[in-house]
Amino acid sequence: MENPIFHSPVREDGFAGLGDYAAIGEGRSVALIAPDGSIDWWCAPNLDAKPLFDRLLDAGLGGYFQIVPAAPYQVSRRYRDNSNVLETRFETGSGTVLLTESINSTLAGRLPWCELARRIEGVSGEVALAITLRFGTAAETRSPWVAENEKGKVFHIADIMTMFRASDDICITHLCDEEICATLRTTPGSRSLCALLVTESEPLAVPPLEAIDQRIEISHTGWRSWVENLSYNGHYPALVKCSALSLKFLWYSPTGALAAAATTSLPEGIGGEKNYDYRYAWVRDACLIIKAFVYIGALEDCKAAFSWLSQTIMRHGVRLRACYALNGDEVPAERYPLLAGYRHSRPVRVGNNARDQLQLSMYGDMLVTAQHFIEAGHVLDITTSRMLGELANCCADHWRQKDCGIWELPELQHYTHSKMACWMALDRAVALAESQHIEPTWLGRWQRERDRIRDWIESHCWSEQQQAYLFYAGSEDRLDASLALVHHYGNAVNRQRMLATCHAIRRELGDGSAMLYRYSGVREEESTFLACAFWLVEAWAKLGETAQANQAMQEILTTLEGHGNVDIFNEMYDVRTQSWRGNMPQGLSHLALICAAQALSEAEAPP
């Protein structure tokens, strides 16, 4: 996607646009950086920790770390090729500065502390820069304080220890418990560095500045090596690689968990209440990310993620929870810190009550993902194999229940997507049993129950009047874009009905383009859901409608062109204001692009 150029970006009520952020990360934490050089979000040392910087959710109280020219400027940003190392170029009337940013790692893996590095290079002329670091107080629940030892000044924020490290030419003009202010003047060829070292309830290492600076390049080498070892050879390779790199932000290396997104409470509609915490591992999202990793050939990531998910499920019992904490614990119940919210969209939430919901589609997610995992070249161990058999039995027992559906709605219904996903779960269980990957003891039962689900769907969820599968049984004329995600059911059971449903989804849930709302009735309170648009592309391609799939893919990319973040996607896109909404980087959005590109590649591959 084309990266925008900003002219002295102006904040609205103190907030940058949600479509204006870039991200850096290292497999443990993710920082979001606005065009004015301000890191407005960083939960350190872990993705789901309390934020060290949270200006993203409160322009007045929030912490941030900003490097910005003192005079009017023009800014452009890009990631280095095949890398998550970010480069920002500030151009002023007196000169040009290059800012290179990374949360550092080593070639052997992540560091045992967080190391956020910001290199400042003078390209031409002279440029005066202002540097401001204000620590967040987590909605006034902790109070930073500074102490000095022989290594320097160490800041304490509850259990966090952090140290600001800077080269000698950065002049600190103010330092107190809560804030650091500094200045720097660049000249042609000058090279400066400032960094933040963070640890929690552990000793803090204080490496030399030269080592921190060198690790920016080591981190870049590590990113490039990961990308260059991928095996994707299909359509849209540049976009697929960008989305793959964004998905790596969400891969939590201490455990192998896959977070749904890196943020909490970014609104689906400005001023609305649909503001949720996505810094946890959803079974659905994790399974779909694993599928995307299979397509790009990231076998190590597949193995780590699938193993973590399987072990976590077994730890908690095979009656699946919708989501788990990144360390495998239960997700905390929602609480509501007293923050203003992004552009005053409240409530701000920490935790997620979806943890207690019944979502039957997860059985399909796990069994389908297991098949992808095996097809990628992995071999199941006996314990995991038996767990999958137990999941199939649970699905066979519970598919008749009402649930909250893929969209986690409070209204319990017989959601069509859930029933189709249950059909897919048992269909995959049958295939895995027949190929000796799971025990065949219950094979006959799974076959019969699978066929009962099919008959129930065809009798209760199809509308002759709408010529479409409905949102849920008895919903009359309501539709659900997520049915595109279970296209395999249609291909196996009734291709014509699934094709007709895809046409109805495009007609009724579209906005005149390929962008789609999630389901009937949400147009007024939220924006189009990016993953749904890509799911429909995948469905068209898998159902043999290649021309329709290509046209829809081009429409999506044209709609987003010039209105995107720096290669990262949010959850939603508001076609009315041409602006991004929801949490970011959003795993569903990026994996859906990869799966759409893969489906198009397969559809157009020579026989």
Side-chain angles (χ1 to χ4, degrees), residues 320-340:
L320 294 174
R321 287 184 174 271
C323 50
Y324 301 93
L326 301 181
N327 64 0
D329 290 347
E330 291 184 13
V331 169
E334 288 181 7
R335 58 182 180 85
Y336 311 99
L338 296 177
L339 295 169

Side-chain angles (χ1 to χ4, degrees), residues 404-554:
C404 295
I406 188 175
W407 302 126
E408 301 176 351
L409 300 174
E411 182 183 11
L412 292 173
Q413 293 288 355
H414 289 297
Y415 291 102
T416 305
H417 174 272
S418 296
K419 304 305 184 194
M420 289 183 175
C422 286
W423 179 93
M424 291 171 61
L426 296 182
D427 186 63
R428 294 304 87 199
V430 168
L432 291 171
E434 290 176 340
S435 57
Q436 303 298 309
H437 290 291
I438 62 178
E439 293 177 3
T441 305
W442 305 280
L443 176 60
R445 188 207 179 188
W446 296 338
Q447 290 171 326
R448 293 190 300 275
E449 212 67 49
R450 175 195 61 188
D451 294 344
R452 289 189 188 100
I453 298 172
R454 176 202 63 203
D455 294 343
W456 196 95
I457 292 169
E458 297 305 303
S459 297
H460 294 84
C461 299
W462 171 257
S463 168
E464 282 293 332
Q465 180 179 350
Q466 282 288 100
Q467 284 295 292
Y469 291 112
L470 297 171
F471 189 10
Y472 53 84
S475 61
E476 300 297 335
D477 58 352
R478 300 186 70 190
L479 300 177
D480 176 10
S482 75
L483 294 184
L485 187 57
V486 286
H487 52 77
H488 175 70
Y489 171 89
N491 245 340
V493 172
N494 195 320
R495 178 176 174 275
Q496 289 308 312
R497 282 189 172 186
M498 187 57 78
L499 276 173
T501 301
C502 289
H503 284 292
I505 288 171
R506 170 68 185 257
R507 181 178 65 250
E508 300 297 329
L509 301 181
D511 69 316
S513 73
M515 306 300 287
L516 300 173
Y517 294 93
R518 292 190 295 160
Y519 52 88
S520 300
V522 296
R523 190 182 300 259
E524 298 306 317
E525 62 187 33
E526 62 184 51
S527 304
T528 59
F529 196 85
L530 185 57
C532 289
F534 287 125
W535 289 343
L536 191 56
V537 171
E538 182 182 1
W540 290 126
K542 292 291 188 178
L543 292 166
E545 299 293 317
T546 309
Q548 182 75 52
N550 274 309
Q551 179 182 343
M553 187 74 162
Q554 287 303 313

Side-chain angles (χ1 to χ4, degrees), residues 48 109 222 307 422:
D48 56 355
S307 295
C422 286

Side-chain angles (χ1 to χ4, degrees), residues 110-275:
R110 64 178 176 84
L111 291 162
W113 62 87
C114 280
E115 184 174 282
L116 193 157
R118 311 184 82 179
R119 179 194 294 157
I120 309 160
E121 296 176 274
V123 177
S124 65
E126 295 189 3
V127 179
L129 297 166
I131 301 172
T132 306
L133 192 159
R134 180 187 300 167
F135 296 108
T137 61
E140 310 286 49
T141 62
R142 56 191 190 183
S143 188
W145 57 279
V146 64
E148 187 165 4
N149 61 34
E150 67 274 10
K151 292 292 185 180
K153 292 180 172 62
V154 177
F155 291 84
H156 298 263
I157 307 103
D159 293 332
I160 295 287
M161 273 203 305
T162 181
M163 179 177 283
F164 177 72
R165 300 274 286 144
S167 50
D168 292 339
D169 52 353
I170 293 176
C171 177
I172 295 177
T173 59
H174 171 73
L175 189 151
C176 66
D177 287 328
E178 299 177 346
E179 186 177 62
I180 299 172
C181 298
T183 60
L184 172 67
R185 181 173 294 275
T186 65
T187 57
S190 65
R191 180 163 167 155
S192 310
L193 183 82
C194 59
L196 204 61
L197 309 172
V198 180
T199 191
E200 182 177 24
S201 302
E202 293 179 356
L204 180 65
V206 186
L209 280 172
E210 295 78 10
I212 298 173
D213 185 74
Q214 184 182 23
R215 274 196 286 269
I216 296 176
E217 302 307 318
I218 292 171
S219 301
H220 172 59
T221 299
W223 288 119
R224 284 185 60 90
S225 175
W226 183 78
V227 172
E228 289 167 0
N229 280 286
L230 300 179
S231 59
Y232 180 79
N233 296 308
H235 294 3
Y236 303 102
L239 292 176
V240 166
K241 287 178 182 178
C242 285
S243 282
L245 283 163
S246 291
L247 290 179
K248 279 289 279 184
F249 283 135
L250 306 178
W251 186 74
Y252 184 66
S253 63
T255 64
L258 289 163
T263 54
T264 180
S265 303
L266 298 184
E268 299 173 9
I270 300 299
E273 296 184 356
K274 290 185 174 181
N275 318 314

